[in-house]
Amino acid sequence: MTEGARVNGVHTAGPPALVPVIEARRIDPVAALAIDGPMTAKWLEAFLRDELLGRRGIGRAVLGLSGGIDSAVVAYLCARALGPQNVYAIRMPYRTSSADSLRDAQLVIDELGINAQTIEISDAVDGYLRAAPDADARRKGNVMARMRMLTLFDQSAKLGALPIGTGNKTERLMGYFTWHADDTPPVNPIGDLFKTQVWALARYLHVPMRVIDKAPSADLEANQTDESDLGITYAKADQILNLILAGYRDATIVARGFAWADVGLVRRRVDGTHWKRHLPTTALVSGTAINEFYLRPVDY
Amino acid sequence: MKHDAPAPPAIELAVVQFKPVKGDVRANRAALEAIFAQVAAAGPPNIIVLPEACLTGYFLEGAVYELALTAEAFAQTLHATWAAAGGAVPVEIACGFFENDGGTFYNSALYARVGGARPEIVHVHRKMFLPTYGVFDEERFLSRGRNLGVFPSAFGPAALLICEDAWHSIMPTVAALKGAHVLFVPSASPGRGLCGSGELESVARWKSILRAHASEHGVYIVYAGLTGFEGGKGMAGSSCVISPGGDFVVEAPALDACILRAQLDPAEFEVARATLPLLGDLASVLPDLWFDAEIPLPKRAAPA
C-alpha cells in the first residue's frame, strides 16, 4: 500500500505507523563462558568431599601453592570443603623463582589459615642438572615441574593427604603443562574450568586481588608469562577453545570475530597435544586389553 | 462438581533421591534399608519411587555384567529390604536396575508390590533410548527395550520412562495415549553447565522438558534422580513431582540424598484434563498425523 493504510476497513490518509522491530541477541562468546560463582563453588566443594571423604576416606588434602591463581583457587575450595586445618600447602621454590610468588602464596596461606611448608627444590634440581649441563630452559622447566610432583607425592605419603591437581582446562587443552608432572594428582577440581572461569571463581571466593590481577606465569624463567609463551591472551584463547570444543568449524569461528591466525594457533596447540591428555599408548594384542576391552570406571 | 460421590483418595508418595557407592551393592542396600525405615516410620506411602541404577551407581562400563540381576532377583531384593526396614504394610516401588535376562543386559526399571507374602512384579520397563554420545556409552554394554507399557498402579494407569526416554516427547505422548495418568521417571543425570543463575543448565533443561510433558498430556510426573559424584561426574539429583497442570508439587536440591513426600491427587488430575483437554484433541487428530505418507515409518504388513 503506497498512499495510505486501511484500518478496520477504513482507508486513512498517510503512511502506516511503524511497528517496533525487536532484534535477536547476537551470539556472545564471552557470555558463553560466564559461570555462577556460588553454584560452581558449591558443586566443586561437594566433588572434593565425595572424592576424598566419600570414596577414599581421606580427610586431608595437599597441594603445591605457587602464588598463582589456579593453586590459590584450589586452596580456597579445599579449605571450604575440608576445613583449613585439613589443607596442606607446599611452596616449592627454585632458586630463580620470583620472590613475589612466595609472598603471594603467603597471602593465601594467611587468609585461609591453612597449614604451610616451604621446601626448596634447588638442590635436588641442580643435583640432576649437574649430570645434564646441556639442558636448555625447556628441559630445566620440565625437571623443576617433575621435582615438584615428586615432592608433592612424598608429602602426601608423609601427611596422609591426597594430592590435589591445580591445572585448568585452558592449559590442559593447549598442552601448556609438563606431562606426568602438573597433571599427576588423582583429583582436580578445576580441570574443566577455562582460565577465565578460574578468574571469575577466584573473584567470588575473594582470593586476594593481588593474586587475581597479576599476569599468570609458570615462573620457570625470569619475566616469563603464560600469554607470551602461548602467543595469545587467555581471554581470546578461551573463547576460541570454547567454540572449537562445541564443534564449530574454523571459518565459523572467524566469522564470529576472531582472526584466522589466532584460531589456527589455538587449533594447532589442541591438535598437537591430544597425547598429553591420555595415559601412555599400549600395544593391543589381546581381547582383554585394559581400557580397550576390559572397561571399568575409575571409581569401581 | 454437584454430585455426592465421594472424592477418590489421594495417593501417598515418597521419592527417594539416593546416593549410592559405586558397585557396593551391600552398602547401598544397607543405606536403602535405613531410608526405607525412615519412610516407614513417617507413615508408609502407597508408592515409593527410586532412581535409575539405584543400588549399583550408573557409570559401570563392563562391570554391568558383574552386577546385573534378573527382575525376579531385584524384586526380591526390594522386598527383603522393605521387610528388614520394618515395612509392615505392602507398598508399590518403582526402581531402576541393570537387568540380566539370560545373558542379554538392559537398563531397566521395575514396578513391584512388596511387603506382602512375596514380591509381585507388576511391570518391567527396559530403557528404549540408550544415550550413546558424549559422556554416555550405554549401547556399548546394553540392549534397548522394544516396548513402552502401561500398567496398573495405586494411582491408576502408569508408565515408566528411564532418563533419556523422557527427553523424547513421543514417549510421554504414547504413554498418555495408552492411558497413563502418571509417569514415573527414574534417572541418573550428570550435571553440567555452570552459567545458569543458581541452577545447572542440565537441570533447568530437565525441568522444562518434564513440565511441558506434564501440562501437555495432563499427567503427574514423578522424577527420581540419582545423586553423588561418580568419578568426577556429579549426578544432579533434583528429584521432583510435577502436577498434571505442569506445576512443581515438590522439588529436591541437586546434591543431597533426601526423601520427598507428596500426594498424587485424583481431583487435580481430573481438573487439569478438563481445563486443558489437549490429550483428547491429540487422540482425534492423531490418525491424520500418524498415517501421513511423508513420515518415514516402516509400513506394517496388512493383517492376513
Side-chain angles (χ1 to χ4, degrees), chain B:
Chain B
M1 275 185 211
K2 287 188 176 179
H3 58 62
D4 296 330
I11 296 301
E12 293 291 334
L13 175 74
V15 182
V16 177
Q17 184 159 297
F18 194 71
K19 182 177 182 176
V21 178
K22 176 67 67 69
D24 193 341
V25 175
R26 186 188 298 261
N28 294 332
R29 189 172 159 178
L32 184 62
E33 183 181 318
I35 287 171
F36 275 176
Q38 192 181 339
V39 168
N46 303 101
I47 301 171
I48 301 173
V49 183
L50 293 144
E52 180 180 11
C54 186
L55 293 184
T56 56
Y58 171 72
F59 286 104
L60 291 188
E61 301 178 6
V64 72
Y65 307 131
E66 298 167 7
L67 296 175
L69 298 173
T70 62
E72 290 74 19
F74 190 67
Q76 182 59 42
T77 295
L78 294 175
H79 181 75
T81 305
W82 178 246
V89 297
V91 65
E92 298 179 359
I93 299 181
C95 186
F97 71 111
F98 288 109
E99 181 188 3
N100 179 352
D101 180 25
T104 303
F105 294 83
Y106 300 97
N107 184 347
S108 297
L110 182 80
Y111 198 86
R113 294 195 181 94
V114 305
R118 63 185 64 83
E120 177 191 349
I121 295 175
V122 178
H123 185 70
V124 178
H125 173 69
R126 292 166 173 168
K127 189 173 183 177
M128 299 182 76
F129 287 94
L130 301 180
T132 307
Y133 61 90
V135 72
F136 303 104
D137 207 9
E138 287 195 32
E139 206 147 7
R140 183 171 187 175
F141 303 100
L142 301 163
S143 298
R144 72 175 185 86
R146 310 286 296 191
N147 178 259
L148 174 57
V150 171
F151 55 89
S153 77
F155 187 68
L160 280 159
L161 305 178
I162 304 172
C163 207
E164 191 189 314
D165 282 346
W167 277 48
H168 296 268
S169 59
I170 197 165
M171 295 290 277
T173 300
V174 169
L177 285 167
K178 290 175 84 165
H181 294 185
V182 56
L183 308 180
F184 301 113
V185 186
S187 179
S189 176
R192 49 216 189 271
L194 295 168
C195 75
S197 299
E199 189 167 69
L200 290 165
E201 291 160 65
S202 58
V203 170
R205 186 158 187 176
W206 257 115
K207 288 182 175 177
S208 85
I209 287 171
L210 295 176
R211 290 185 70 185
H213 293 336
S215 60
E216 181 181 350
H217 301 308
V219 291
Y220 270 107
I221 291 185
V222 181
Y223 176 86
L226 211 63
T227 191
F229 281 84
E230 294 192 17
K233 298 173 277 288
M235 296 302 178
S238 305
S239 302
C240 60
V241 178
I242 301 174
S243 76
D247 299 315
F248 287 109
V249 177
V250 63
E251 294 178 77
L255 278 174
D256 303 309
C258 61
I259 301 165
L260 302 180
R261 294 295 297 245
Q263 290 186 330
L264 303 180
D265 189 343
E268 293 294 330
F269 172 76
E270 283 185 15
V271 166
R273 287 216 168 167
T275 306
L276 199 62
L278 296 183
L279 187 63
D281 295 350
L282 176 62
S284 69
V285 172
L286 189 64
D288 294 335
L289 292 169
W290 203 249
F291 297 110
D292 182 337
E294 294 179 11
I295 298 177
L297 291 174
K299 301 298 178 227
R300 192 171 284 197

Side-chain angles (χ1 to χ4, degrees), chain A residues 121-188:
Chain A
I121 61 168
S122 302
D123 288 347
V125 169
D126 289 345
Y128 169 75
L129 289 178
R130 274 196 290 278
D134 61 332
D136 58 13
R138 178 191 181 90
R139 285 174 58 194
K140 287 178 182 173
N142 284 336
V143 172
M144 290 175 212
R146 292 196 169 99
M147 186 54 64
R148 292 190 174 108
M149 177 271 291
L150 187 154
T151 305
L152 196 60
F153 274 74
D154 182 60
Q155 290 299 307
S156 162
K158 171 186 163 188
L159 297 166
L162 196 73
I164 309 296
T166 61
N168 64 66
K169 189 174 187 173
T170 307
E171 69 185 30
R172 293 179 67 209
L173 285 165
M174 302 282 270
Y176 189 61
F177 62 93
T178 300
W179 198 44
H180 292 177
D182 311 304
D183 58 338
T184 44
V187 167
N188 178 351

Side-chain angles (χ1 to χ4, degrees), chain A residues 37-38 41 45 69 72-73 75-77 80 104 107-112 198-213:
Chain A
E45 289 158 34
I69 188 80
V73 163
Y76 272 72
L77 291 171
R80 290 164 62 112
D104 293 343
L107 278 177
V108 172
I109 292 163
D110 292 343
E111 192 71 31
L112 291 174
V198 174
W199 268 314
L201 182 57
R203 285 190 285 274
Y204 166 70
L205 293 169
H206 298 296
V207 170
M209 287 309 296
R210 186 182 155 75
V211 176
I212 295 175
D213 287 342

Side-chain angles (χ1 to χ4, degrees), chain A residues 242-288:
Chain A
N242 198 36
L243 291 166
I244 288 175
L245 265 62
Y248 292 102
R249 299 172 187 199
D250 289 2
T252 306
I253 299 171
V254 169
R256 295 204 176 163
F258 298 94
W260 275 108
D262 289 334
V263 176
L265 182 152
V266 173
R267 178 76 73 178
R268 280 192 301 278
R269 288 210 67 122
V270 173
D271 285 349
T273 56
H274 291 304
W275 61 273
K276 289 184 93 169
R277 294 179 285 276
H278 285 273
L279 291 170
T281 306
T282 302
L284 186 156
V285 295
S286 75
T288 56

